[in-house]
Amino acid sequence: QLQASGGGLVQAGGSLRLSCAASGFTFEGYSIGWFRRAPGKEREAVSCISSTDGSTYYADSVKGRFTIVSDNAQNTVHLNLKTLKPEDTAVYYCAVDLLGGSSCAVYEYDYWGQGTQVTVSS
């Protein structure tokens, strides 16, 4: 089971830390991604981290503001969100790529947790 948490309401320019915790399995050997779906829009990739080589991916819209961090000891992957903008408002999901690839494409991810709402007010 994947559990995403940490969402909330924050003013523009603020910060949040999202967490994705696994229970019943470990992240070792898998890749973890964060995705979001804004109202009226398709689900999009935000950031991913590959278990194969530790490489990371960031969508252009979040580069320099968001950071993905893997905490193996806690079996958790965090997404640190800084300098938030109203356009970051969305439901954020974490997901697992069971093949441990380096892609951050939505279709590559097999197992999804429930989302956590992030709302950024202007």
Side-chain angles (χ1 to χ4, degrees):
Q1 183 178 6
L2 287 177
Q3 180 74 40
S5 62
L9 173 63
V10 63
Q11 289 188 331
S15 301
L16 285 172
R17 187 172 84 158
L18 306 184
S19 298
C20 178
S23 58
F25 68 101
T26 67
F27 284 139
E28 186 176 359
Y30 304 143
S31 296
I32 313 304
W34 282 97
F35 303 84
R36 67 186 181 187
R37 175 177 282 163
K41 295 188 177 181
E42 297 287 323
R43 188 174 299 191
E44 64 175 356
V46 176
S47 181
C48 298
I49 185 164
S50 170
S51 64
T52 303
D53 57 10
S55 61
T56 56
Y57 163 89
Y58 295 95
D60 287 343
S61 59
V62 307
K63 280 181 182 176
R65 301 188 298 120
F66 292 8
T67 306
I68 190 167
V69 179
S70 180
D71 183 344
N72 293 331
Q74 297 295 322
N75 203 32
T76 300
V77 173
H78 302 289
L79 185 67
N80 296 315
L81 289 63
K82 296 183 178 180
T83 320
L84 282 160
K85 304 175 181 180
E87 51 264 42
D88 294 318
T89 294
V91 178
Y92 284 70
Y93 302 86
C94 62
V96 173
D97 172 7
L98 299 177
L99 294 181
S102 58
S103 171
C104 205
V106 172
Y107 65 85
E108 295 282 1
Y109 283 73
D110 312 283
Y111 188 60
W112 293 76
Q114 93 296 350
T116 185
Q117 176 72 47
V118 172
T119 302
V120 185
S121 62
S122 57

